[in-house]
């Protein structure tokens, strides 16, 4: 059980403010949504949380302890795992080997870790990757490749799971099953943070949604509240004169 | 005070030359994205051409300059772009690197064919007869004035071209976005051609200015110009003003070290090595690149089976035994080097093939290993090999520290800088003592003899025994590499190559992993070098120079740097094929030095490499025991006949080479119908043969669950 809290994070690229005083909380056992138009800063925020990018200001807290200054590997060991919007798979390895690398790494630094081979097979079964287990991931279509990234993140048994557009490239029926999987992952006690463009998926899974626009949180609330929020509509559809 | 001024003048003149050369490098790199390792060699060729016209044929200076800088230089640049560099825009960084390194090797070889080395070719400086100009207490020669003026003119001229002419605007547009530039009517090919013409011209200009100060020698000149690379790195290969600043730093450092370094036997090398040491430091000070990769199609890195690896190792040992019992002593001495050099190439497989780290200093590690056994193994004690592995592993681990921050071309430059620092300074040091605790002797400024190995009373002093030993060592090293590939460590290396960002966010200690793979690779190279030293009997610093190591790197990549076969290919080409061709075709011996370079350049045309095709062709031999068994039996049969004196050497050699080729052809003929059947395209199934239940299953599998499957035809 772990609670992720981001407080007043600010990131500037040259003169551009990519994130401006952004804060949000992801509670364990729930899926927290981060939505917003392209370029709103969602992926930048994930890079800050996972330690790939140091913010100019602000803090990232895991269960109240500050992760500031920790390198990505230390954050992973503290319980953070993520997927990437632009896939970062191990292209020259098979699906099974991709998961196995992560399980092996987990085994090295965690006392709780079980047998990595066993863990790998469990994940292949859970994500329904049997048919492609021995295929090089280079050859997979995006939808499945994103599942492999999810599996790889799960292999290190994280308490916080950051998912960057995990459902892109899936068709409708797959998204339906994916929503079920996401709710299960959260119900098992993880704090799941979901960046997603598919509004249906967000509405079907998230307990709390934060809306980013131009690097700021412009709204937050339950999916139902967000759907009625006028600032959000304006951000997505452009300013509609009142 | 006059001393300071004098050396400042010298330093500024040197800086001017570095600046001219480096700005040419920056120009080609920014507009085409290819870091031209052969830039220095182009400058070297320019200097040689100028010497030929001006001093050998006695042409007037202005005519000679005009021909070299106005015609030959640009023409050569355009030729390079059209023939070699154009295809590289889409190639991987390693392939680009190998092509330009091979070009460097090839140009040095070419220069040595045209202008035989070892002959003195004096070059006069410009207006050598004119009296130096007094400059307060110091003086400046007219050549120095001209040099500095040329650099200033180049700076102003480049600025004018880049910001004034349409061509310059087009160049800068191409740098920013190639496809966008094309949309607004810029033709990137033309821009690239202009950049190469101008860049090569600047290299030649620099070569002509620098050559009178030193001897006109192909390798020295090509590498001396490497110093100028450091200046380009100051500008991060992009900024021309910073490049000029870098050149100034390098030139002045060099001059002041000449003037003020204490005169003793340890430090002259430091001055020679100072540019590469600066290069190394500047590389380390570069801002950390962002930790991101992107998904790209990565070359196949095969995962050999344990049985296949053992079979391969057994075949290597068998071939060593056959060679040992049939070859003459001189031939054995020549060809046995295949294996130690193969081990050095093999050290690149985990490092470059698996982990994606480029190293140009493997032969330097080999040198350290060889020196270690020369000193510690003078009685043939095998423990010296362990020392060689341990010491080189430690040095390799140190080299890994910069590797955490550097990748690609920068890592290549850093390792090359390390190699040159060893060549110019460390390997030339006389015996010295460390804090008075223990004495360290490297080459002791001469050659060292290396005693043959002696294991449990069995000496490997004879050429035959050594051949078997070398083959056995290669087989063992190959098994180690296969074990790494199949292990958890090997998977992690491949993962790190594919995405460092993902590895870090999964909790991998990148530094530890890199240190481990560099240490492993260096240890292998060290043992390879130690064995090479034993095989040669004596070693000198020149044996392990950067330039000698470049062909090993290039050929290992040509052969497939992710594979054991690629490493064996490098060893076989350099110490098997080349001597064999030299023996068969004595008339063309001089031209053979071009072959390794040409092989590497060819990689740019066909990145997958012809070698892959050859390897795939021989696959049935290794895969199927039904083919392998009879082949080995036949070869052993020829061998017995040879030993019994029935066959002489030439027919025996022919039969041994022909047997596997024949077996492969036979196997392919035998396999064809079945393979054809399996791979029958979908649209022909049911037509050429009856549609069956298994076809349906296969179709289902290929389409995957709910149409989200792998796609494509039958796998």
């Amino acid at each position: 059980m772990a609670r992720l809290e981001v407080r007043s994070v600010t990131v500037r690229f040259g003169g551009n403010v990519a994130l401006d005083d952004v804060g949000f909380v992801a509670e364990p056992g729930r899926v927290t949504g981060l939505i917003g138009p392209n370029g709103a800063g969602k992926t930048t925020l994930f890079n800050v949380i996972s330690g790939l990018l140091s913010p100019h200001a602000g803090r990232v807290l895991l269960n109240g302890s500050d992760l500031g200054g920790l390198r990505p590997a230390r954050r992973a060991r503290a319980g953070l795992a993520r997927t990437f919007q632009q896939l970062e798979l191990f292209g020259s390895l098979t699906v099974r080997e991709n998961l196995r690398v992560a399980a092996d790494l987990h085994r090295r630094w965690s006392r709780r870790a079980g047998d990595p081979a066993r863990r790998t097979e469990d994940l292949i079964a859970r994500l329904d990757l049997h048919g492609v287990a021995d295929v090089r991931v280079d050859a997979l279509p995006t939808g499945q490749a994103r599942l492999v990234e999810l599996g790889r993140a799960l292999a290190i048994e994280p308490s916080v799971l950051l998912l960057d557009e995990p459902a892109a490239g899936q068709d409708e029926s797959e998204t339906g099953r994916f929503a079920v999987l996401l709710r299960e992952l959260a119900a098992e006690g993880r704090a799941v943070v979901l960046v997603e463009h598919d509004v249906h998926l967000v509405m079907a899974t998230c307990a709390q949604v934060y809306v980013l626009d131009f690097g700021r949180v412009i709204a937050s609330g339950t999916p139902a509240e967000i759907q009625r929020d006028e600032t959000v509509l304006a951000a997505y559809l452009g300013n509609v004169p009142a | 005070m006059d001393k300071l001024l004098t050396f400042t003048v010298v330093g500024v003149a040197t800086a001017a030359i570095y600046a001219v050369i480096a700005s040419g490098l920056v120009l080609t790199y920014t507009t085409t994205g290819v870091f031209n390792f052969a830039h220095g060699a182009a400058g070297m060729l320019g200097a040689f051409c100028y010497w030929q016209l001006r001093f050998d044929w006695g042409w007037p200076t202005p005519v000679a300059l005009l021909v070299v800088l106005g015609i030959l230089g640009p023409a050569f640049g355009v030729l390079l772009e059209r023939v070699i560099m154009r295809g590289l825009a889409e190639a991987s960084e390693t392939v680009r690197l190998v092509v330009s390194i091979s070009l460097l090797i090839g140009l040095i070889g070419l220069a040595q064919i045209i202008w035989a080395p070892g002959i003195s070719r004096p070059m006069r400086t410009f207006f050598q007869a004119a009296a130096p100009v007094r400059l307060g207490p110091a003086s400046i020669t007219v050549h120095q004035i001209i040099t500095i003026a040329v650099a200033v003119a180049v700076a102003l001229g480049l600025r004018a071209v880049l910001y004034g002419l349409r061509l310059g605007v087009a160049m800068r547009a191409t740098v920013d976005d190639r496809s966008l530039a094309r949309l607004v009517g810029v033709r990137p090919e033309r821009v690239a051609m202009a950049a190469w013409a101008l860049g090569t011209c600047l290299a030649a200009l620099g070569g002509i200015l620098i050559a009178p100060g030193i001897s006109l020698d192909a390798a020295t000149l090509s590498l001396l110009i490497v110093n100028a690379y450091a200046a380009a790195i100051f500008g991060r290969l992009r900024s021309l003003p910073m490049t000029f600043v870098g050149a100034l730093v390098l030139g002045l450092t060099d001059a002041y070290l000449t003037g003020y370094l204490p005169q003793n036997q340890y430090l002259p090398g430091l001055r020679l090595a100072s540019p590469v040491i600066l290069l190394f430091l500047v590389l380390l000070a570069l801002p950390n690149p962002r930790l991101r990769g992107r998904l790209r199609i990565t070359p196949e890195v095969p995962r050999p089976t344990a049985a296949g690896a053992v079979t391969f190792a057994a075949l290597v040992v068998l071939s060593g035994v056959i060679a040992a019992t049939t070859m003459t002593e001189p031939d054995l001495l020549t060809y046995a080097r295949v294996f130690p050099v193969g081990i050095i190439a093999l050290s690149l497989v985990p490092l470059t093939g698996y982990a994606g780290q480029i190293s140009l200093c493997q032969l330097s590690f080999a040198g350290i290993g060889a020196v270690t056994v020369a000193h510690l193994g003078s009685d043939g004690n095998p423990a010296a090999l362990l020392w060689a592995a341990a010491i080189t592993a430690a040095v390799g681990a140190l080299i890994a520290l910069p590797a955490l921050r550097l990748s690609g071309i920068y890592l290549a430059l850093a390792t090359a800088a390390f190699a040159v620092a060893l060549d110019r300074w460390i390997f030339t040091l006389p015996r010295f003592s460390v804090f008075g605790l223990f004495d360290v002797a490297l080459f002791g400024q001469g050659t060292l003899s290396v005693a043959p190995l002696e294991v449990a009373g069995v000496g490997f002093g004879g050429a035959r025994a050594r051949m078997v030993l070398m083959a056995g060592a290669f087989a063992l090293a190959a098994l180690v590499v296969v074990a790494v590939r199949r292990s958890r460590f090997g998977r992690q290396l491949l993962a790190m190559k594919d995405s460092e960002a993902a590895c870090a966010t999964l909790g991998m200690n990148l530094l530890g992993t890199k240190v481990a793979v560099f240490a492993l690779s260096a240890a292998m190279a060290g043992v390879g070098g130690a064995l090479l030293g034993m095989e040669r009997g004596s070693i000198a610093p020149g044996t392990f120079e950067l330039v000698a190591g470049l062909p090993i790197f290039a050929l290992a990549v040509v052969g497939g740097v992710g594979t054991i076969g690629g490493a064996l290919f490098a060893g076989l080409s350099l110490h098997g094929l080349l001597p064999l061709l030299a023996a068969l075709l004595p008339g063309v011996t001089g031209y053979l030095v071009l072959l390794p370079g040409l092989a590497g350049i060819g990689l740019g045309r066909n990145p997958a490499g012809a070698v892959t095709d050859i390897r795939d062709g021989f696959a049935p031999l290794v895969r199927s025991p039904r083919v392998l068994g009879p082949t080995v039996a036949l070869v052993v049969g020829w061998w017995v006949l040879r030993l019994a004196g029935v066959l002489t050497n030439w027919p025996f050699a022919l039969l041994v080479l022909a047997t596997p080729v024949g077996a492969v052809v036979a196997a392919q003929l035998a396999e064809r119908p079945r393979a054809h059947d399996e791979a029958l395209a979908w649209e022909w199934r049911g037509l050429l043969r009856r549609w069956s239940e298994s076809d349906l299953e296969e179709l289902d599998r290929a389409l995957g669950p709910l149409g989200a499957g792998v796609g494509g035809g039958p796998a």
Side-chain angles (χ1 to χ4, degrees), chain A residues 52 72-73 76-77 84 87-93 97 100-101 104-105 109 136 138 141 144 152 156 174 177, chain B residues 291-293 295-300 303 488 491-492 494-495 498-499 502-508 706 708-709:
Chain A
L52 291 174
R77 295 173 194 196
F84 294 84
L87 293 170
E88 293 278 350
L89 282 163
F90 306 137
S92 47
L93 299 178
E97 286 175 317
R100 182 66 189 271
V101 165
D104 282 336
L105 285 170
W109 44 259
R136 260 170 64 113
D138 266 359
Q144 269 181 327
R152 203 178 58 181
I156 63 169
E174 284 174 310
R177 279 184 292 155
Chain B
L291 198 61
R292 281 193 72 69
L295 187 75
R296 54 206 174 284
I297 302 302
T298 41
E300 186 100 31
R303 186 170 184 270
R488 185 180 71 190
R491 275 195 304 269
Q492 293 187 347
L494 284 161
D498 288 341
S499 171
C503 284
T505 55
L506 291 169
M508 183 191 285
L706 294 170

Side-chain angles (χ1 to χ4, degrees), chain A residues 193-216:
Chain A
V193 184
L194 176 69
V195 162
E196 188 50 66
H197 275 303
D198 185 333
V199 181
H200 296 295
L201 181 61
V202 172
M203 298 305 157
T205 53
C206 294
Q208 182 81 7
V209 177
Y210 292 82
V211 186
L212 276 176
D213 190 31
F214 289 113
R216 292 168 162 277

Side-chain angles (χ1 to χ4, degrees), chain B residues 376-617:
Chain B
L376 301 180
S378 48
D379 52 353
N381 187 352
L385 278 180
L386 296 180
W387 276 110
I391 291 174
T392 45
V395 179
L398 274 179
I399 294 298
L401 297 180
L404 187 68
R405 301 171 51 89
L406 304 173
S407 65
I409 187 73
Y410 294 107
L411 185 55
L413 279 173
T415 51
F418 172 73
V420 175
L422 289 191
D423 294 348
R424 291 187 188 165
W425 183 29
I426 306 292
F427 280 170
T428 63
L429 285 176
R431 175 182 286 273
F432 59 94
S433 112
V434 179
F435 307 123
L437 289 176
F438 51 92
D439 268 358
V440 178
L442 298 165
F443 284 97
Q445 288 174 315
T447 57
L448 281 179
S449 62
V450 185
L453 201 63
E454 197 181 310
V455 184
V458 182
F460 288 90
R464 295 184 196 290
R466 248 191 350 252
M467 180 62 137
V468 178
L469 170 73
M470 297 296 156
F474 180 85
L476 207 61
L479 287 177
V480 168
V481 172
V482 170
V484 167
R485 171 65 184 90
R486 296 176 55 80
S487 71
R488 185 180 71 190
F489 181 52
R491 275 195 304 269
Q492 293 187 347
L493 293 180
L494 284 161
M496 187 172 71
K497 175 176 75 172
D498 288 341
S499 171
E500 291 195 0
C503 284
T505 55
L506 291 169
M508 183 191 285
N509 177 354
L510 292 176
L511 179 61
T513 313
K514 283 186 182 176
V515 166
V517 69
F518 262 94
L520 169 75
S521 164
M524 283 183 63
V527 171
L531 293 170
L532 182 63
M534 289 176 188
E535 185 51 47
R536 298 176 68 105
S538 77
I539 51 172
T543 319
F544 302 104
E545 270 178 1
L546 171 70
V547 182
L550 293 178
I552 301 178
F553 177 79
L555 287 170
V557 175
V558 170
V561 73
T563 64
I564 312 290
L568 187 59
F569 171 80
L572 273 176
S573 315
L574 284 172
H575 293 281
L577 189 62
L578 286 186
L580 185 67
L581 286 177
L584 291 178
L585 314 161
V588 299
T589 313
Y591 298 94
L592 292 175
V593 295
L594 294 179
L595 284 184
L598 287 176
I601 293 169
L603 189 69
R605 296 247 120 176
N606 175 15
V611 182
T612 327
D613 300 342
I614 300 176
R615 199 176 54 223
D616 291 349

